[in-house]
Amino acid sequence: MSASHPTTASNTAADAAAELAADVDAEAGIPDQGRAFSTEDYFNTQRPPASLKEKTEAMRAFVDKWNIDGKKVVLVTSGGTTVPLESNTVRYLDNFSAGTRGATSAEYFLQAGYAVIFLHRTHSLRPFSRHYSHSMNPFLDLLTVNNGDQIDVVPGQASKLLPILKAYHQAHDEGSILSVNFQTVNDYLWLLRAVAGVMAPLGRKCMYYLAAAVSDFFLPDDRVAEHKIQSTHGALVLEMDQVPKVLRPLVQEWTPEGYIVSFKLETDDNLLIPKARAALARYGHQLVIGNELHKRKSEVVFVERSHHEKSRGDRSVTGAQTPPLASSAGDVPGMYTETWLRLPELAAGRAATDEVEIEEFIIQALLERHHEWIAQGEQAQANA
Ligand code: PAZ
């Protein structure tokens, strides 16, 4: 992979500006290192996954059913994406994401009455079963053999399992969750475009909660080896291309009325807010949730346009320009607001034995915002 981005501990606001500029070049089709694909070029040149049609039809049937019932629908994306090095894939590049954020959030959305399309990485954590993952809480440890041939739940475990099991059965009996899997970044991009097309008719009643950790780099089909790469050829040198920034067409073309929440992950706290603001300025969506890798389970920051900026018009975008660093670093007073959610404060007052998860509070805060987004749309229609 070409080392085009500085990633040392000395990352500064200037590095952030350089990175933003590189992102914009990529969107404009200006090569940095390797080719840069526009979204259009990407879908014109990269092969769709074999299961695309079947998955799209399943998503369409799900959305149609809940649209008739007037339920709100959320797309939750979850887990990491791979970049295969061979088409008969032995090796691939991957990232750290286990899918905890997505799987946990999906449960809280269901609890709040949403229908959920759970677009997840194959074998990453899933709603409900995540509580009993093989590494954290192996399910065989919950069971005990009684009288030689009966299986019982270990005392103390049944009371924890019961609410999870009930919520699991409720969601499956109602059909309020549809799980769709992806593996590669290519699968993810095709499925995201397809699901956006399917959800667009829901208008403001749909939300996008984009928690998947999507690779920024990929190998185009024409540079992927067919068979296992042989070590006899010496060192392996890879040059990867930049994945197109599909947030732009998602917001502006594929689903112009959806409430869109993207996530921004950084390992340097200082970059979180400038990069979240830059994403909002560039794509014009509603909310970026920033999280730092090591603290992601205990604190996140909501970055959004301030109330008076929102009321200047939905989806106000600055176009393909990189916002000047002054604005991305927050030098335009009052343009953006940041709201931190921190677990110790949020969990104050809860019993020490309660397992409190930050996603409960994230979803609670989103429900209000989505409600307001829908109400604004209704108001605009009434005024028209
Ligand atoms: O899957 P997980 O719970 O281990 O991690 C969640 C996360 C950090 C991937 C997510 O909160 C996030 O920030 N997703 C977007 C990552 C990015 O592409 O910036």
Side-chain angles (χ1 to χ4, degrees):
M1 183 161 82
S2 323
S4 56
H5 297 308
T7 51
T8 63
S10 65
N11 261 343
T12 61
D15 294 331
E19 190 170 344
L20 292 173
D23 288 350
V24 170
D25 286 351
E27 280 168 43
I30 301 165
D32 173 13
Q33 298 191 18
R35 266 183 296 172
F37 284 74
S38 68
T39 306
E40 202 185 347
D41 288 346
Y42 185 91
F43 289 110
N44 283 336
T45 56
Q46 305 304 300
R47 270 191 297 273
S51 55
L52 181 66
K53 205 162 163 232
E54 174 197 317
K55 288 177 176 170
T56 308
E57 286 321 309
M59 294 190 288
R60 193 186 310 285
F62 181 85
V63 168
D64 286 352
K65 167 180 147 157
W66 290 118
N67 197 8
I68 291 167
D69 278 31
K71 219 171 167 67
K72 286 177 267 188
V73 179
V74 60
L75 171 76
V76 175
T77 71
S78 185
T81 57
T82 65
V83 180
L85 305 189
E86 299 123 344
S87 52
N88 293 288
T89 308
V90 174
R91 305 186 187 90
Y92 54 81
L93 295 181
D94 203 350
N95 65 49
F96 71 95
S97 170
T100 312
R101 174 82 79 223
T104 310
S105 303
E107 286 181 26
Y108 288 104
F109 276 119
L110 288 166
Q111 211 176 83
Y114 279 70
V116 176
I117 299 182
F118 185 62
L119 185 59
H120 68 98
R121 161 74 180 277
T122 312
H123 304 312
S124 64
L125 292 177
R126 307 278 286 269
F128 310 113
S129 64
R130 71 174 173 104
H131 297 274
Y132 299 98
S133 80
H134 64 280
S135 53
M136 304 285 288
N137 204 359
F139 89 96
L140 288 179
D141 291 356
L142 305 179
L143 305 175
T144 179
V145 178
N146 191 4
N147 269 342
D149 59 357
Q150 304 284 313
I151 296 176
D152 282 350
V153 178
V154 171
Q157 290 292 348
S159 57
K160 287 189 198 155
L161 179 57
L162 191 63
I164 298 167
L165 204 55
K166 280 185 172 171
Y168 169 79
H169 282 302
Q170 187 183 341
H172 285 84
D173 294 349
E174 289 174 356
S176 49
I177 183 161
L178 175 72
S179 297
V180 176
N181 68 316
F182 60 81
Q183 172 78 20
T184 66
V185 63
N186 185 54
D187 298 343
Y188 173 86
L189 294 173
W190 280 96
L191 284 164
L192 182 67
R193 189 173 74 157
V195 71
V198 161
M199 283 171 65
L202 293 165
R204 291 195 173 216
K205 280 201 322 245
C206 64
M207 189 194 301
Y208 292 75
Y209 183 83
L210 306 174
V214 182
S215 175
D216 286 326
F217 304 99
F218 79 113
L219 273 175
D221 287 342
D222 60 4
R223 290 220 309 276
V224 177
E226 184 183 354
H227 292 292
K228 184 181 169 213
I229 297 169
Q230 297 298 314
S231 59
T232 45
H233 295 145
L236 177 62
V237 178
L238 288 176
E239 183 172 277
M240 300 176 78
D241 292 341
Q242 289 188 345
V243 167
K245 307 285 177 191
V246 292
L247 203 45
R248 177 189 298 283
L250 178 72
V251 174
Q252 294 173 23
E253 295 164 33
W254 301 344
T255 183
E257 292 202 284
Y259 186 86
I260 300 182
V261 181
S262 70
F263 279 79
K264 175 62 70 188
L265 173 76
E266 291 297 336
T267 54
D268 177 348
D269 287 306
N270 296 323
L271 293 181
L272 260 188
I273 291 181
K275 293 204 71 178
R277 289 177 177 184
L280 280 181
R282 192 178 312 144
Y283 305 120
H285 58 306
Q286 284 68 43
L287 177 67
V288 179
I289 303 183
N291 51 175
E292 190 279 328
L293 180 67
H294 304 291
K295 291 182 273 191
R296 68 190 190 279
K297 294 190 181 174
S298 60
E299 67 176 42
V300 299
V301 58
F302 277 33
V303 183
E304 56 203 322
R305 272 180 294 283
S306 308
H307 212 72
H308 64 275
E309 288 292 328
K310 280 187 206 162
S311 59
R312 287 199 316 152
D314 301 330
R315 304 259 162 98
S316 51
V317 228
T318 56
Q321 299 297 310
T322 300
L325 191 64
S327 76
S328 68
D331 288 346
V332 179
M335 187 154 180
Y336 300 102
T337 56
E338 284 94 41
T339 315
W340 285 92
L341 304 188
R342 293 191 175 94
L343 251 199
E345 294 157 26
L346 295 165
R350 295 280 181 93
T353 48
D354 270 10
E355 276 175 37
V356 186
E357 298 172 307
I358 197 161
E359 287 78 7
E360 175 188 341
F361 302 95
I362 296 178
I363 306 316
Q364 203 177 75
L366 289 182
L367 298 184
E368 293 161 21
R369 286 164 170 80
H370 191 200
H371 181 80
E372 196 185 330
W373 175 248
I374 294 170
Q376 279 168 5
E378 286 168 354
Q379 189 60 54
Q381 265 186 349
N383 294 342

